[in-house]
Amino acid sequence: MNVQALFVSMLPEHLLLSGLCVALAIDIAARSPRAVAAVALASILGAALAAVLLAAGGYASATFVGQLSVGPTTSVAKAIVLLLAVPVLALSRDEFRDARFVLLVLASLYGACLVISSDSFLTLLLGLEVLSLPVYALVLLAMQRPSSAEAALKYLVLGGTATGMLMMGASLTYGWGGTLALSAFAQALEAPSAMAGAGVALVLSAFFLKAAVVPFHAWAPDAYEGASVPATAYMATIVKATILLAVVRLFGAVELSPTMTAFVAVPPLVSIVWGNLAAIRQQGFRRLIAYSSIAHAGFLYLALLGAPAGRFQAVAFYAAAYGFMNLLAFAALPHAGDDLRDDRIDALRGLYQRRPGAAAMLAVAMLSLAGLPPLPGFVAKFLVFRNVIDAGHTAIAVLGLLGSYLGLYFYLRVIQAMFMSAPSAGEAGTATLRRYALAATLAALVPVALATVFPGWVLGMLRA
Amino acid sequence: MAEALALNAVLFLPVAGIAYTALARDARPDAVRGVSFALMLVQFALVAWLYLVFDPAEPGLQFATRLPWIPDWGVSYLIGLDGFNVLLVLLTAFLGPIVVAGAWTAIDRDVRLFHAMLFLIQFAMVGTFVAQDLFLFYLFWELMLVPMFLMIGIWGGARRIYATVKFVLYTAFGSILMLAALIYLVWSLKSTSGIVSFAFADLVHAGLPPQVQAWLFAAFGLSFAIKVPIVPLHTWLPDAHVEAPTAGSVILAGVLLKMGTYGFMKLGFPLFPDAARAAVPLVMTLGVVSIVYGACLALVQTDIKKIIAYSSISHLGYAMLGLASLDLIGIQGAVMQMVSHGLTAAGLFLMVGMIYERCHSRDLADYGGLAKLAPVYAAFFVVLTLAAIGLPTTSGFTGEFLALLGTFRTAWQAHAAGNDTLLWLAAAAVLGVVLGALYMLWFAQRFLFGAARVPQGPVADLRPREVAVLAAIVAAVFWLGLAPDAPMRRTELAAQQMRGIVLGDRPLVALP
């Protein structure tokens, strides 16, 4: 094995790992959360830069043959995930005074990078666990609330179930094909064998569960509501993006047969409809975002119906656009407190009168999530549905678009509360400007603005 | 070159306005109003210049700018003026400063946000008209929803939330199907000719089979029909108009409603010619139904804003009728009718707003004899009323007469070929003219004449600002009524082209 290749191909991971070690040492020796956060930010930015440079150079290498390989698309995927982490980190500084959040995020990001470049079920499982275990702890960090423990436990149990299903599926695929390579999954997709079929079904279900697609979605609203804002932001954006990028890698260059198309299309379509309908009734902002993320997971999965060559671009753009829009919303959210009372949408009433800038940012985020042009959310949806129609699934695209129409109302409801209602009594005094929220807003706004004005350029960067 | 730059400036001046309103945190409301008015005036001046240098003898796009925007998808930033949009852009830019001046005293809350929304909607409207790329068109088309949603929802009347949500959900439903159809259309173009492009000029050559055309025409048509609005898709309009602030009503009636007819003219008919020809009887029928039904509804309203709202449905029925006649005169008449309605409805809504500011009532039963109390107001009201019902020398006559003339010419040819349906429809449309005169004159009579009474105390006559605003509109009304030649010449080639695309070399009598 070439030592140089080992060093270069996994440079983002190495930077994250060394950042984690240094940050831990600082935390133990100096107890300076500021320094820890600075080191973490530097290592994430460094890792993202390394990933961008690797992608720009078209670097490709099978570092551990059959287990882990790096190509331009994996580097682009890593860059997206890492850049999404920057606003999350900024958000967490207002919430948590100590270094735990930052350290857990660094560890989890390492797992995300592993998942993205894995070639076998073994590495994939390893990466998924490294990705998920810190997140269980992240949810639990908002311990002041009893619901936080409940949410963490629910997330842990269902996350464990997903891992179990994935392992079982991988074993069945192994039993059928005699290999743990991810490419075996792609072959098993079309194999006329009960064992292979069961394996595929289990693996897919595991990924549906991880991404909160109906009927495996019930954990998401509780987990999102129970966790703190930055932890919710992390789950809704980075975890979801990583899972979907892994699914694209899993499907490889396979053209779906009509049966598989139905199997892959129906849960996401139901997810879009159900997520959007259930969101209408929500009173809490984080539950609303949870149901919206269930619907968006549906759109992301629909991208798999497109031609194999365009899948990565669609998922990468969608995940990035969705992630940054969500982060923009979370960053502009005026209440940092964990109090569930503050989380109500009613608490946003009259926000424009109190903090016009925050209201405008939240409105932009909501409109983009609703998929109104010219915001990136629209371009992302357009990209997905263009690929779906190109592949000949016009009916599915029409159903998906009608489903997205159902979501329009509840996003507008948030805007309505902010702009068209007078502040309810007692809300006026609670608006305090958070120091780091501004940084988080900027870190999320810049990519959103770029994708709005130069969608062609961004899409060109993400081409597989 | 300078003209192309000017057109880009016209499009992006409102963005500068938005930036100004966002940055001028401490500006006094009057300063915000003044700067907004000045910016809108500059925009209008630029458009007026472009209108003057627009060459009527040049069949293609003029002052075009084309820049690749999303090269992978064949999307480009392609804008330009042609015979169809030049008058509508002129109308939009003309109403810009008028709306700002008209809302000077009516809006006293969140003034900066209000003007930001005015600029945003101006940006979206001009963009929808000048866009020559379907993707770009769709962006601007959808962008119009957001500022209108906020404008009705923030500054509207008592039931504003209901009205604005209804407006958005209604119109967005149409657009979502249009989105599916436009993706399918571009994909079809790629699979038949290998060209990946969203440019209107390329999409016209998609060469779709008639059955596919029917589906796509239905999807596009539904979206446009909701915007026009054509009966029975009109129920959002009265609510939106009644609850909207005056500025919102003026923009809605003045420009937004033209988007539907413009969409049919620019996209629906030329992109799907076979389906459009087959749909001519249906579109004509719906047009006539809109004319008559809208007029009947206007006749029985007691809310003065609702009378004008329903009259809009009736008046735009003529535009649909003229368009569907596929006759050169009829199509040109439809354009004139759109512009004319934009002027008269905007003027009437402004006047309703002025009286509402003074008396805080929109109930017709509360008013009477305004001619004695406010003679200047009454004079302007009579002129605009007569223009709305199509008195010769006003713009309303030009539009209605030409649209009907075109309809009769087509109907007569169909009659000669043994089909009398169109002739009956045309006759029914003339009935609408009578009904129109009936409800408008009856309205004016009850409103202006008889025993003098107003709901609250003595009513002040028009202030100089209001006189100036209305005088500008009346001047435009007479310009189009007395000298329609110059604007008509600018639409002629475009109308001819559209007719050529839809009919091909088939004779008119081949119409079903």
Side-chain angles (χ1 to χ4, degrees), chain A residues 313 352-353 356-357 367 371-374 378-379 381-383 385-386 389-392 394 397-398 401-402 404-405 408-409 412-413 415-416 419-421 452-457 459-460 463, chain B residues 25 69-73 75 109-110 112-113 135 138-140 142-143 145-146 149-154 160-161 164-165 168-170 172-174 176-177 179-180 182-184 187 190 196 198:
Chain A
Q313 189 193 36
Y352 175 74
Q353 305 298 334
L367 293 173
L372 281 182
F378 168 73
V379 180
K381 252 179 213 161
F382 190 92
L383 176 57
F385 286 114
R386 189 192 78 119
I389 289 181
D390 264 8
T394 313
V398 172
L401 282 168
L402 287 176
S404 84
Y405 169 75
L408 185 58
Y409 174 66
L412 291 181
R413 206 161 61 98
I415 297 180
Q416 185 189 314
F419 285 87
M420 302 174 195
S421 322
T452 306
V453 184
F454 305 109
W457 179 72
L459 284 169
R463 208 175 303 150
Chain B
R25 287 174 166 275
W69 194 40
I70 310 180
D72 287 11
W73 300 351
V75 172
R109 186 159 63 84
D110 299 329
R112 284 194 302 133
L113 183 65
F135 191 84
Y138 189 80
L139 288 194
F140 285 120
E142 283 288 272
L143 189 60
L145 284 185
V146 178
F149 171 68
L150 287 174
M151 192 173 285
I152 301 177
I154 298 177
R160 58 185 196 276
I161 304 286
T164 196
V165 169
V168 170
L169 293 186
Y170 234 110
F173 183 75
I176 210 85
L177 292 176
L179 180 59
L182 81 86
I183 298 175
Y184 191 88
W187 175 72
K190 189 176 85 178
V196 184
F198 278 84

Side-chain angles (χ1 to χ4, degrees), chain A residues 314-328:
Chain A
V315 168
F317 189 89
Y318 202 113
Y322 167 74
F324 282 115
M325 284 152 3
N326 245 331
L327 291 173
L328 187 62

Side-chain angles (χ1 to χ4, degrees), chain B residues 101-459:
Chain B
W104 202 279
T105 51
I107 302 296
D108 50 6
R109 186 159 63 84
D110 299 329
V111 173
R112 284 194 302 133
L113 183 65
F114 177 78
H115 287 92
M117 289 303 113
L118 279 188
F119 280 125
L120 187 57
I121 201 162
Q122 191 81 358
F123 175 57
M125 291 187 307
V126 173
T128 310
F129 284 135
V130 298
Q132 305 293 332
D133 178 287
L134 194 50
F135 191 84
L136 206 59
F137 173 85
Y138 189 80
L139 288 194
F140 285 120
W141 176 271
E142 283 288 272
L143 189 60
M144 288 187 292
L145 284 185
V146 178
M148 208 60 207
F149 171 68
L150 287 174
M151 192 173 285
I152 301 177
I154 298 177
W155 296 278
R159 287 167 70 239
R160 58 185 196 276
I161 304 286
Y162 168 78
T164 196
V165 169
K166 188 172 178 181
F167 161 72
V168 170
L169 293 186
Y170 234 110
T171 36
F173 183 75
S175 333
I176 210 85
L177 292 176
M178 178 159 86
L179 180 59
L182 81 86
I183 298 175
Y184 191 88
L185 173 65
V186 171
W187 175 72
S188 309
L189 177 71
K190 189 176 85 178
S191 53
T192 53
S193 68
I195 302 170
V196 184
S197 169
F198 278 84
F200 294 164
D202 293 328
L203 289 173
V204 169
H205 306 299
L208 302 163
Q211 205 186 351
V212 176
Q213 281 192 24
W215 278 105
L216 299 185
F217 182 75
F220 275 77
L222 179 69
S223 179
F224 298 146
I226 290 173
K227 265 282 201 304
V228 172
I230 296 177
V231 175
L233 301 168
H234 65 286
T235 56
W236 62 270
L237 182 81
D239 287 311
H241 262 317
V242 168
E243 298 305 323
T246 302
S249 294
V250 170
I251 292 172
L252 205 54
V255 188
L256 271 189
L257 299 190
K258 274 85 221 168
M259 295 297 172
T261 36
Y262 175 76
F264 272 113
M265 190 162 69
K266 181 87 184 177
L267 295 172
F269 277 66
L271 287 184
F272 318 109
D274 297 327
R277 273 199 312 279
V280 160
L282 176 68
V283 176
M284 275 197 167
T285 311
L286 289 176
V288 172
V289 169
S290 297
I291 293 173
V292 176
Y293 188 66
C296 291
L297 284 175
L299 201 55
V300 296
Q301 299 305 318
T302 53
D303 183 320
I304 47 183
K305 237 178 166 181
K306 271 199 175 158
I307 297 179
I308 304 168
Y310 281 113
S311 82
S312 295
I313 298 174
S314 184
H315 283 139
L316 285 168
Y318 291 107
M320 286 311 298
L321 198 61
L323 210 56
S325 74
L326 292 174
D327 178 85
L328 185 61
I329 301 274
I331 297 169
Q332 286 186 276
V335 180
M336 287 306 277
Q337 176 69 4
M338 284 154 69
V339 178
S340 163
H341 174 261
L343 293 171
T344 55
L348 287 169
F349 273 120
L350 276 170
M351 297 209 71
V352 171
M354 288 166 190
I355 200 75
Y356 184 77
E357 256 187 87
R358 289 167 169 78
C359 303
H360 304 284
S361 166
R362 285 192 315 258
D363 193 346
L364 185 54
D366 287 348
Y367 293 96
L370 276 179
K372 294 183 195 104
L373 302 171
V376 183
Y377 180 91
F380 275 115
F381 199 89
V382 168
V383 171
L384 286 173
T385 303
L386 292 176
I389 61 180
L391 184 83
T393 71
T394 64
S395 59
F397 175 74
T398 320
E400 254 172 42
F401 178 74
L402 292 179
L404 282 173
L405 183 62
T407 310
F408 268 105
R409 290 194 352 168
T410 300
W412 193 252
Q413 293 185 44
H415 167 72
N419 182 346
D420 284 345
T421 327
L422 296 189
L423 209 53
W424 283 111
L425 282 174
V430 176
L431 178 70
V433 179
V434 181
L435 279 175
L438 183 63
Y439 69 78
M440 278 316 278
L441 291 178
W442 194 33
F443 171 32
Q445 184 217 328
R446 287 181 290 171
F447 193 47
L448 303 177
F449 306 110
R453 63 172 189 285
V454 287
Q456 285 181 5
V459 59

Side-chain angles (χ1 to χ4, degrees), chain A residues 87-432:
Chain A
V88 174
L89 217 56
L91 269 178
S92 75
R93 293 289 297 144
D94 287 310
E95 193 107 349
F96 300 106
R97 298 275 165 254
D98 54 15
R100 286 176 302 174
F101 189 95
V102 175
L103 293 170
L104 288 168
V105 163
L106 272 182
S108 177
L109 283 175
Y110 189 87
C113 289
L114 274 188
V115 169
I116 287 168
S117 41
S118 60
D119 268 348
S120 81
F121 278 110
L122 219 55
T123 339
L124 183 68
L125 263 170
L126 189 70
L128 275 177
E129 287 309 288
V130 178
L131 169 74
S132 312
L133 283 173
V135 181
Y136 304 137
L138 282 181
V139 175
L140 203 55
L141 275 183
M143 249 187 316
Q144 310 88 300
R145 266 186 316 189
S147 64
S148 161
E150 184 197 326
L153 187 65
K154 222 175 238 176
Y155 189 36
L156 176 68
V157 170
L158 283 162
T161 313
T163 312
M165 290 201 302
L166 182 60
M167 279 170 120
M168 195 63 207
S171 321
L172 287 171
T173 322
Y174 180 76
W176 168 76
T179 168
L180 278 175
L182 286 190
S183 52
F185 176 83
Q187 289 157 11
L189 270 175
E190 302 303 338
S193 141
M195 194 191 264
V200 166
L202 278 169
V203 171
L204 263 180
S205 303
F207 277 102
F208 280 153
L209 204 162
K210 279 274 181 195
V213 168
V214 174
F216 307 106
H217 64 289
W219 61 271
D222 292 335
Y224 283 25
E225 190 185 30
S228 57
V229 167
T232 307
Y234 189 84
M235 283 192 284
T237 59
I238 293 167
V239 175
K240 192 156 279 192
T242 311
I243 298 295
L244 262 298
L245 289 164
V247 173
V248 171
R249 200 170 165 87
L250 202 56
F251 273 69
V254 172
E255 301 265 7
L256 297 180
S257 65
T259 335
M260 277 318 292
T261 302
F263 191 67
V264 175
V266 171
L269 280 177
V270 177
S271 212
I272 293 169
V273 172
W274 179 245
N276 282 336
L277 286 182
I280 294 176
R281 295 186 51 217
Q282 301 310 316
Q283 298 302 320
F285 186 76
R286 265 172 282 176
R287 283 190 90 84
L288 182 127
I289 288 295
Y291 279 106
S292 131
S293 91
I294 291 169
H296 281 283
F299 291 118
L300 277 160
Y301 269 102
L302 282 187
L304 293 174
L305 300 181
R311 278 179 204 156
F312 174 77
Q313 189 193 36
V315 168
F317 189 89
Y318 202 113
Y322 167 74
F324 282 115
M325 284 152 3
N326 245 331
L327 291 173
L328 187 62
F330 279 121
L333 212 58
H335 300 281
D338 270 341
D339 194 352
L340 277 181
R341 200 181 56 84
D342 274 359
D343 185 50
R344 284 177 305 121
I345 293 169
D346 280 348
L348 295 173
R349 286 167 65 96
L351 183 65
Y352 175 74
Q353 305 298 334
R354 287 176 279 150
R355 294 191 37 210
M361 287 300 123
L362 255 177
V364 167
M366 289 300 122
L367 293 173
S368 184
L369 284 171
L372 281 182
L375 296 161
F378 168 73
V379 180
K381 252 179 213 161
F382 190 92
L383 176 57
V384 167
F385 286 114
R386 189 192 78 119
N387 289 356
V388 171
I389 289 181
D390 264 8
H393 308 301
T394 313
I396 293 175
V398 172
L399 288 177
L401 282 168
L402 287 176
S404 84
Y405 169 75
L406 296 176
L408 185 58
Y409 174 66
F410 71 86
Y411 293 115
L412 291 181
R413 206 161 61 98
V414 177
I415 297 180
Q416 185 189 314
M418 292 190 299
F419 285 87
M420 302 174 195
S421 322
S424 40
E427 303 289 356
T430 51
T432 48

